Structure formats: structure tokens, C-alpha cells
Amino acid sequence: MFQINENYQKLPGSYLFSTIAKKVSAYQAANPDKSLIRLGIGDVTQPIAPAIIEAMHKAVDEMGHAETFRGYAPDLGYDFLRKAIVENDYQAKGCGISEDEVFVSDGAKSDSANIQEIFGEKNRIAVCDPVYPVYVDSNVMAGRTGTYDAKTETWSDVIYMPCTAENNFVPEFPKETPDLIYLCLPNNPTGTTLTKDQLQEWVDYANKAGAVIIYDAAYEAYISETDVPHSIYECEGAKTCAIELRSFSKNAGFTGVRLGFTVVPKELTCGDVSLNAMWARRHGTKFNGAPYIVQRAGEAVYSEAGKAQLKEQVAYYMKNAKTIKEGLKESGYTVFGGVNAPYIWLKTPNHMSSWDFFDYLLENANVVGTPGSGFGPSGEGYFRLTAFGNYENTVKALERIRAL
Ligand SMILES: *Cc1c(COP(=O)(O)O)cnc(C)c1O
């Protein structure tokens, strides 16, 4: 008789987005005349930029001719894309990353979930609280997190690093020494980030502790301040302790197209074992390459026209972010984020719980956001609004919130 992976039975239900959907549809059914504005979505809304569409059309046509047809892509990605990535994202920023350290994939969600596979079962993970749930859940499935305490909403073997207004959303070095440290910067959900000096301290800490930092830089394109690093490899010594995850979802609208990459430096070793070689083996065994058409689309992200168009797209979302942030501030809210990330993280007024504020905003402003407590216990008392809506609706939502 077969057995299942019992670790899956330990996973608590993920009720956040289904509960939001239920509450929203119940409210809409009871109030059919009200028009709701959704500032809860974590998905982009702007269409793919013209330079990218053009590259995709061309690649589609190539697939229809024997001379230019492509089958399986190289395991680690096409050279043209890895070259564009290295030149634009790393060499241009002074990071000496080479093409054979870049692994093209179908996105950062799967990479962030899969990367734990190359590490030992006994490794202790450390995560920020609140957190992007994939980091913890993928380690639960692998049996690395101990037992779940429903009351505190924490796992016995996970090290939590609270990120709240009290510590300026800068995680503190934990008392217990972790083996794997997940950092998402700029951060989802809080929209905050670290300066290069602050990140350097984490790199130094990891090198000293013999830990690996899994650095999720999905929101790199939204960085506007000059002292914020675009890559962890801008920090000295990061190549011996950090793996970086990147995505084309938020900078180029590829959430439905699917493309990302992971950087595993060759200097990152455990004794004499190369993590780069391990990830190459894992990737080659379990992944059969991102589609040619999509990799050509990714290449176009780095073209002159592509860069200019995407800069505008990011600016469009960041104008929304500014609208939300300024509007909330003027209404007396305490707000964070929204400067280097498309997320605004606000403190709920009058010590309301995250869910009470969700109901309040839904019923009185007809605006939908995301309760901070859904991202971890330290998110309680906070609320997330996103800049991924359209501008007119964002302005309207803030008018409604101001009128409360
Ligand atoms: C959106 C997002 C990603 C990107 O995931 P893809 O699979 O590339 O679409 C990764 N990490 C975080 C924290 C995100 O919010």
C-alpha cells in the first residue's frame, strides 16, 4: 500500500485569498449597485510592451519554418538570453557574474520553492515575518519545519525574524544560527527594503555563520533610491554565500508568459561541493527549458526599445504607489513602502485588526486590500495595498478612503 508524503498533511490551509474572494463576492451579492476597486491584487495589469510583443511574433514565425524551428532549449537557457542578463543586470552594476552562473527558468516562484532541494534535511531556515508564503511552505513539504502551532501561527523549527515599524522593517540577526536565510528585497508584502550597507551586514553575517542567503529580487525594477542595491552581488563577499532569484513577472508583465532565472555563483561551495554544479544537475533533471519564444521575449526586455517601454510601465505603477501613499498620509494613516516597491503597507487605524480593517474598507469605501496578518503573525495590525491597478481607479479609491 502506498504512502503519501505526510509533510503535506502538516500544511495549514491557505485561506488568505480564498477568504478575501468569499467576503468580496458576498458583499457584492448583497450590494449589487456598488462598484468595488481592487487594490489587493499581486498581479500586473498593463499589457506586454510592444518591443517584446514584436520579438515574440518573430520567434513564433521562426517556429513555423524548418530552418529556424527550435526544439528543446538548452538546459540552462539560450546563450542570447544569458548574455543579455549578465551584461545588463550584473556587469553593468559592477557584479562579476558570468553566464554559466545564470540558470533560466519559468519564474521565481518555482525557483524559490525548488531551491531548498539541494540543501540538507536538517538545515534550519530563517524567514522574515511577514513573509511570501512559498519559502516556508516548500520547506514544510520537505519536512524541514517541525510542528505547526496554530495559536501562534508558527513552525517549531523555523526561525522568524519580525519586520515591523518597531525595527524599521530591518530584520535583526536571530538568536539561533540559521543555515538558510530567505530575504525578499524590495519586500513583498511590506514594500520596504534595505540599503546596501544594511544588506552588506547580512552578507557578512551569512559568511561568518556558514549560512546561505536565498535572495529574492523579484521587485528589483522598482528600486528608485540610489543607496538600495539592485543585486546582492553588489555586496562584497556575496558570491560565497548568496543565491539570487529574479523574475520577469513584475518588471515586464510576464506573470502569464513565465520567465525567470536563478544565479548560483561558482564560488558558492560546501566543502569542495559546488552548489552551481548541484543546481545545474537538478535543473537539467527536472526542468526542460523555458520556451524559445519566451526567452526571445526576455531578450527583448533588454533591448533599447524594451528598456524604455518598461521604464514607463514601472513609472506608471509607481505613480499609483505615490498616489496611494500620499493620499493615505494626508488622511492621517501611518504608511510604509511604496518608494522602492509597488506595495504600500499601512498601519491600521485605532488598533483595528487587519481583518477588521479589511471589512471596514470593503464596506465603507468599497476598496479591497489584503490583511497583513495573512502574511504572518507580525503582519497583524497592518494592511497591504498594491499599485498594480489602473491609475483612474487608484485615484478614485483614494478619494473614497479620504472621504471616510
Ligand atoms: C511575484 C513574486 C515573485 C515572482 O514569481 P514568478 O513565478 O516569477 O511570477 C517572486 N517572489 C515574490 C516575493 C513575488 O511577489
Side-chain angles (χ1 to χ4, degrees):
M1 176 66 188
F2 70 88
Q3 286 164 359
I4 55 162
N5 178 348
E6 294 286 348
N7 294 321
Y8 278 64
Q9 300 302 103
K10 299 182 197 163
L11 285 164
S14 175
Y15 298 117
L16 179 62
F17 289 100
S18 60
T19 307
I20 291 173
K22 263 184 226 148
K23 279 179 178 267
V24 168
S25 57
Y27 180 81
Q28 190 75 85
N31 304 275
D33 54 318
K34 302 275 201 221
S35 82
L36 300 180
I37 300 177
R38 287 160 209 272
L39 297 184
I41 41 165
D43 197 356
V44 296
T45 52
Q46 293 283 298
I48 304 285
I52 298 166
I53 291 295
E54 197 184 314
M56 290 175 89
H57 276 301
K58 190 164 158 255
V60 167
D61 287 339
E62 284 178 53
M63 293 300 254
H65 299 280
E67 314 80 65
T68 48
F69 166 78
R70 313 280 179 126
Y72 289 123
D75 277 354
L76 310 183
Y78 281 104
D79 285 340
F80 62 78
L81 178 58
R82 293 161 85 204
K83 192 161 171 285
I85 289 169
V86 163
E87 283 175 7
N88 290 278
D89 285 331
Y90 295 104
Q91 283 167 6
K93 306 237 153 53
C95 311
I97 293 295
S98 59
E99 283 153 46
D100 53 2
E101 296 174 310
V102 174
F103 300 80
V104 174
S105 73
D106 64 353
K109 183 176 190 173
S110 35
D111 283 350
S112 70
N114 291 330
I115 195 72
Q116 47 78 28
E117 272 187 36
I118 63 169
F119 295 96
E121 216 176 295
K122 299 248 152 32
N123 282 334
R124 287 291 298 271
I125 71 159
V127 295
C128 292
D129 170 24
V131 69
Y132 181 62
V134 178
Y135 313 149
V136 175
D137 288 358
S138 56
N139 277 287
V140 174
M141 293 169 178
R144 221 177 260 119
T145 56
T147 52
Y148 186 68
D149 178 2
K151 221 166 82 202
T152 57
E153 296 175 31
T154 55
W155 293 89
S156 59
D157 292 354
V158 173
I159 300 168
Y160 292 91
M161 305 181 290
C163 291
T164 61
E166 282 67 43
N167 60 12
N168 247 320
F169 302 94
V170 179
E172 286 152 34
F173 300 131
K175 287 188 193 78
E176 298 163 87
T177 306
D179 302 300
L180 300 178
I181 303 160
Y182 288 82
L183 295 178
C184 172
L185 298 165
N187 190 258
N188 176 12
T190 67
T192 60
T193 194
L194 298 189
T195 64
K196 189 174 161 190
D197 290 347
Q198 289 170 327
L199 186 60
Q200 182 67 56
E201 288 184 30
W202 273 95
V203 168
D204 295 343
Y205 171 85
N207 272 322
K208 212 158 130 199
V212 171
I213 297 175
I214 314 287
Y215 192 75
D216 184 343
Y219 295 95
E220 173 274 333
Y222 293 86
I223 293 170
S224 70
E225 293 180 316
T226 51
D227 60 349
V228 176
H230 287 253
S231 162
I232 194 167
Y233 304 114
E234 289 178 41
C235 295
E236 214 167 303
K239 281 198 239 170
T240 54
C241 71
I243 291 173
E244 181 163 293
L245 315 175
R246 291 280 192 102
S247 166
F248 289 78
S249 287
K250 313 294 164 41
N251 65 331
F254 281 27
T255 52
V257 175
R258 310 306 308 145
L259 191 66
F261 63 90
T262 287
V263 177
V264 187
K266 281 175 288 187
E267 287 171 50
L268 185 53
T269 57
C270 182
D272 55 7
V273 178
S274 155
L275 270 61
N276 177 287
M278 284 183 78
W279 189 243
R281 187 73 171 87
R282 192 268 170 209
H283 211 55
T285 300
K286 296 199 178 182
F287 185 65
N288 234 348
Y292 174 70
I293 298 159
V294 171
Q295 294 196 51
R296 281 293 185 199
E299 182 189 30
V301 165
Y302 298 103
S303 68
E304 285 313 311
K307 278 186 206 167
Q309 290 161 8
L310 293 178
K311 205 170 150 192
E312 262 178 57
Q313 217 169 71
V314 166
Y316 177 91
Y317 292 132
M318 289 313 275
K319 189 170 148 197
N320 290 344
K322 194 171 175 190
T323 303
I324 298 170
K325 188 162 186 169
E326 298 302 316
L328 289 172
K329 267 197 201 160
E330 280 164 31
S331 310
Y333 287 89
T334 306
V335 282
F336 306 95
V339 176
N340 297 296
Y343 296 116
I344 283 83
W345 190 245
L346 65 101
K347 191 112 196 58
T348 60
N350 308 319
H351 305 285
M352 270 170 129
S353 75
S354 297
W355 277 111
D356 283 349
F357 187 71
F358 174 90
D359 293 333
Y360 172 78
L361 211 59
L362 175 63
E363 287 160 21
N364 298 288
N366 301 145
V367 171
V368 182
T370 313
S373 56
F375 299 99
S378 294
E380 182 55 274
Y382 293 92
F383 198 76
R384 191 188 75 172
L385 294 175
T386 85
F388 286 133
N390 78 40
Y391 180 66
E392 292 69 28
N393 280 342
T394 303
V395 170
K396 209 186 289 170
L398 267 293
E399 277 166 10
R400 291 185 190 171
I401 293 173
R402 269 207 209 111
L404 288 175

